[in-house]
Amino acid sequence: MASDSKVDRAPEVGVVFDAVVVGAGFAGLYMLHRLKGLGLRARVYEAGAGVGGTWYWNRYPGARCDVESMQYSFSFSPELDQEWSWKERYASQPEILAYAEHVAGRFGLYPHIRFETRVTGAAFDESAKCWQVVTERGDRVSAQHLIMAVGCLSATNRPHFVGVEDFQGPIYHTGEWPHGGVDFTGLRVGLIGTGSSAIQSIPIIAAQAKTLTVFQRTPNYSVPAWNTPTDPAEEKIVKADYPALRAKARARPTGFYFPFNTQSALEATPEERERQYEAFWARGGLPFLGAYGDLLFDKTANDTIADFARRKIRLIVRDPAVADLLCPDNVFGCKRLCVDTGYFEAYNLDHVNLVDVSKQPIERFTRTGIVANGAEYPCDAVVTATGFAAMTGSFDRIPITGRGGVMLAEKWRAGPRTYLGLATSGFPNFFMITGPGSPSVLASMIQAIEQHVDWMVDCIAHMRDVGARTIEPLLTHEDAWVEHVNEVAEVSLRSTCSSWYVGANIPGRPRVFMPYIGGFPVYVQKCNEVMSGGFEGFQMDVAPKADVPPKVRQTERWRAPLDIEVISPAMVAARRVPVV
Ligand code: FAD
Ligand code: NAP
């Protein structure tokens, strides 16, 4: 439930906050909770009319998480862990949204959030050492800290199609779905895209629509979710020692726990591999990539899992020509792996049609349909499941000015440059939750969010302890981090295909691997070292005070317990890490 709406408040002008947070998804909510805990005055601005971010906007049919819900949830509150019960192994969008709303209510966050308020500009005032922030509703406020909780997958990608303005029917984007839902009963529906959003929604739209025509540019691998209602016995076991599960999750490259194998796929016999892939397929979902340790490092190893997945598609899809089109020929797991319920099966329905637009792009829209490969496909409604300007899209859409009038978008023209994905030089007191250069989308994101927020809040507390007004990374350390991010990306097969990880889905974007692929625990260790080393690589506007060492107040919980096997840098170097 939103605490306010466009009509009932006057703009805030001249108000001074300790921190302005942009975005009220999981990142903004947790940051606000922690800032409140420090006794700071914080304001959150959110473009949507409610909390939840991704789960507020992505209301398309079939939207659900693909990290198991008992792990895709906040870990900071033992009480919250105990009191919330997930209905399904993979919760649906309404349930995750309800959880976000519950968190916002339970922790008293609503009064500090201004909804339907897009931040339209932010500039660092060097003399006052604070940020001046403006919104579309006329707010003009200042804050010592500007915290970007704008999301990695929040700026929708809406490619332009010739003639789109002539189309008479509605056009929906999965990432900005109407709140009341859409009834496709009896309609001829066109759907563009075959990424995760399309793969989740296609079976459900197919069940309603008169006809469904899917326009596919690149086929994707997808593993069945085998979603089920939550098993009460399993829930009881987890809740009896939730911290143990959380600790095991943090020790994994992905930030979530699943059984995995570090052996090379090439050391197994074909029969052993087949048994292993069958067993992991039966478990389903993203952990399928945990079958062997070198699947994302060695192309020959990867070929074995890709071949298995293609055989599964051919077993499910009855028409061999359609199955051929649905079989990807790129590296398995190179693009974000999809998780489905009945996706490939949908193509066995007579009224579901697959159109290959890989060789010739969609030609144009007409008043009544879509033209591709010279044929017109009649459509009453169109769904664009065309994804997002990932990682930096929501930053690019706000003019953000740092020291010397430098624009962030200009600084990042050749690709984002950050220190640890937390901050960027020339932009003091500017923090990015799950920013580019951090594990972010390669980890279970709520864990990545919590770790970032805890680090940032300890940093802000330390600034208060030593009387610092500003902090920002040193360019030398930022450059070294960017180089390291690129270096580890190069050893992974993930950097080899045209995915949104490298910005390839948006024409004109520089090709840069944006998330940090070295693994969550390795990254956390680095962040902890930077903090315990007195914020090494950062400069503050006061001299370091040896008698006031940083206090790891929140960051403490990110130190892995000794009895947990942490994925070590040595394992990463040896390329024996199932990274999802
Ligand atoms: P978001 O939830 O994206 O929230 C950012 C908020 O910032 C938005 O509400 C937006 O309106 C607001 N905002 C942006 N710009 C402005 C501005 N200028 N002014 C004001 N407000 C602004 N991750 C997983 O780990 N597991 C999953 O299973 C999973 N499933 C996903 C399914 C879908 C359909 C999608 C799209 C993503 C999924 N993700 C998943 C990633 C997901 O984005 C994160 O898990 C998480 O929800 C991100 O939270 P966030 O708060 O960082 O960002
Ligand atoms: P996406 O993975 O980027 O998929 C977009 C699809 O649209 C791709 O198939 C793309 O083809 C196609 N496309 C884009 N422009 C096109 C054009 N002009 N013509 C034809 N096709 C075009 O986006 P998404 O499916 O929204 O998913 C984004 C990410 O969000 C996921 O990778 C995942 O991280 C997250 N997500 C997770 C879940 C979940 O299961 N929990 C669900 C949804 C989303 P190309 O591949 O050729 O570019």
Side-chain angles (χ1 to χ4, degrees):
M1 194 191 72
S3 70
D4 70 355
S5 82
K6 234 171 202 166
V7 287
D8 70 358
R9 77 169 179 91
E12 294 174 315
V13 178
V15 185
V16 179
F17 294 101
D18 295 308
V20 159
V21 180
V22 189
F26 285 125
L29 292 179
Y30 183 52
M31 177 51 88
L32 176 57
H33 172 62
R34 282 295 183 212
L35 291 170
K36 272 175 61 184
L38 265 191
L40 298 185
R41 193 162 183 229
R43 166 68 72 236
V44 176
Y45 292 116
E46 165 55 56
V51 299
T54 289
W55 306 102
Y56 169 88
W57 295 105
N58 289 263
R59 300 173 188 235
Y60 61 83
R64 60 178 69 247
C65 57
D66 59 6
V67 169
E68 290 182 6
S69 299
M70 275 196 273
Q71 299 198 55
Y72 186 67
S73 49
F74 281 123
S75 68
F76 69 86
S77 163
E79 298 77 24
L80 180 64
D81 267 350
Q82 291 301 324
E83 73 199 17
W84 188 266
S85 274
W86 294 103
K87 294 194 191 87
E88 293 174 272
R89 181 180 179 193
Y90 297 105
S92 64
Q93 172 272 328
E95 194 182 4
I96 305 173
L97 180 59
Y99 174 77
E101 290 170 347
H102 172 75
V103 169
R106 190 193 190 287
F107 294 98
L109 305 179
Y110 278 115
H112 308 275
I113 308 173
R114 295 290 174 263
F115 292 105
E116 295 179 275
T117 306
R118 186 169 289 281
V119 169
T120 48
F124 186 69
D125 178 336
E126 293 188 59
S127 53
K129 296 187 176 179
C130 68
W131 284 91
Q132 306 290 351
V133 180
V134 296
T135 76
E136 62 180 354
R137 294 184 58 185
D139 304 293
R140 306 181 73 80
V141 302
S142 61
Q144 184 182 0
H145 302 285
L146 177 61
I147 298 161
M148 304 302 284
V150 292
C152 296
L153 295 160
S154 58
T156 49
N157 170 34
R158 292 174 175 275
H160 178 72
F161 296 102
V162 176
V164 74
E165 48 295 329
D166 298 334
F167 183 64
Q168 283 185 328
I171 301 178
Y172 306 103
H173 191 291
T174 48
E176 285 171 16
W177 201 259
H179 286 200
V182 181
D183 182 3
F184 290 108
T185 307
L187 299 185
R188 297 165 303 173
V189 180
L191 188 148
I192 302 172
T194 46
S196 299
S197 302
I199 281 176
Q200 286 188 327
S201 55
I202 281 169
I204 296 171
I205 297 175
Q208 275 188 356
K210 183 174 171 198
T211 63
L212 174 63
T213 307
V214 178
F215 297 86
Q216 171 183 272
R217 190 164 67 183
T218 315
N220 261 310
Y221 296 103
S222 184
V223 180
W226 308 126
N227 192 26
T228 54
T230 301
D231 175 357
E234 196 186 317
E235 183 184 14
K236 205 170 157 196
I237 292 169
V238 169
K239 287 191 170 178
D241 193 1
Y242 225 136
L245 176 63
R246 301 296 192 185
K248 283 200 295 188
R250 284 177 200 147
R252 293 290 178 246
T254 50
F256 69 101
Y257 177 76
F258 54 88
F260 73 87
N261 172 21
T262 52
Q263 187 199 1
S264 162
L266 303 176
E267 284 162 7
T269 65
E271 295 74 24
E272 285 166 347
R273 268 202 306 267
E274 197 69 8
R275 276 198 300 278
Q276 178 79 343
Y277 288 144
E278 283 293 356
F280 274 70
W281 188 266
R283 187 175 293 133
L286 300 175
F288 182 57
L289 258 173
Y292 289 103
D294 55 353
L295 294 171
L296 284 174
F297 297 103
D298 185 310
K299 177 68 169 62
T300 313
N302 191 281
D303 286 344
T304 65
I305 193 169
D307 176 59
F308 180 89
R310 280 189 292 262
R311 278 188 281 124
K312 286 288 184 193
I313 296 172
R314 290 185 204 286
L315 278 175
I316 298 169
V317 180
R318 284 197 288 271
D319 182 334
V322 176
D324 269 354
L325 282 179
L326 289 168
C327 281
D329 62 1
N330 55 6
V331 164
F332 186 93
C334 187
K335 288 189 176 223
R336 169 65 152 69
L337 186 57
C338 301
V339 176
D340 74 279
T341 299
Y343 171 61
F344 293 114
E345 289 82 347
Y347 292 96
N348 290 333
L349 299 169
D350 288 340
H351 67 288
V352 176
N353 185 16
L354 182 65
V355 178
D356 175 21
V357 291
S358 63
K359 293 169 196 74
Q360 295 287 331
I362 287 173
E363 212 169 288
R364 64 195 153 88
F365 276 54
T366 64
R367 287 175 66 238
T368 52
I370 295 177
V371 179
N373 305 322
E376 178 168 357
Y377 298 89
C379 303
D380 303 309
V382 169
V383 175
T384 51
T386 45
F388 303 89
M391 307 294 294
T392 57
S394 284
F395 289 88
D396 296 344
R397 291 175 191 187
I398 311 172
I400 299 169
T401 317
R403 281 191 199 283
V406 173
M407 302 288 289
L408 185 68
E410 192 53 42
K411 178 179 172 184
W412 285 4
R413 190 169 289 280
R417 302 191 71 79
T418 72
Y419 183 38
L420 296 164
L422 293 163
T424 186
S425 75
F427 294 77
N429 302 352
F430 177 80
F431 295 101
M432 295 167 280
I433 304 175
T434 65
S438 73
S440 56
V441 290
L442 297 177
S444 175
M445 281 204 69
I446 300 184
Q447 296 306 293
I449 285 167
E450 284 188 285
Q451 184 262 339
H452 260 194
V453 169
D454 286 344
W455 192 98
M456 289 168 190
V457 170
D458 276 354
C459 173
I460 290 170
H462 179 69
M463 289 174 70
R464 195 172 61 175
D465 292 347
V466 298
R469 280 294 297 168
T470 64
I471 188 167
E472 68 184 287
L474 294 165
L475 196 54
T476 45
H477 286 66
E478 178 172 299
D479 287 348
W481 182 252
V482 171
E483 200 177 311
H484 175 61
V485 170
N486 291 332
E487 184 183 83
V488 283
E490 269 166 33
V491 303
S492 169
L493 293 174
R494 274 231 164 104
S495 60
T496 59
C497 66
S498 297
S499 65
W500 57 255
Y501 294 131
V502 297
N505 62 330
I506 308 289
R509 270 195 155 189
R511 192 185 168 102
V512 175
F513 196 87
M514 291 181 279
Y516 176 64
I517 204 170
F520 188 65
V522 173
Y523 172 80
V524 171
Q525 199 176 318
K526 174 74 182 163
C527 291
N528 289 351
E529 282 166 12
V530 165
M531 183 174 290
S532 52
F535 295 95
E536 189 200 344
F538 285 90
Q539 60 183 349
M540 297 193 204
D541 62 344
V542 293
K545 294 185 179 160
D547 55 332
V548 191
K551 292 195 186 82
V552 283
R553 295 166 168 98
Q554 307 303 339
T555 308
E556 183 56 38
R557 71 195 184 99
W558 298 96
R559 296 194 188 287
L562 293 176
D563 57 340
I564 299 285
E565 185 207 2
V566 174
I567 299 294
S568 66
M571 289 166 80
V572 177
R575 302 178 182 195
R576 284 290 185 277
V577 182
V579 179
V580 176

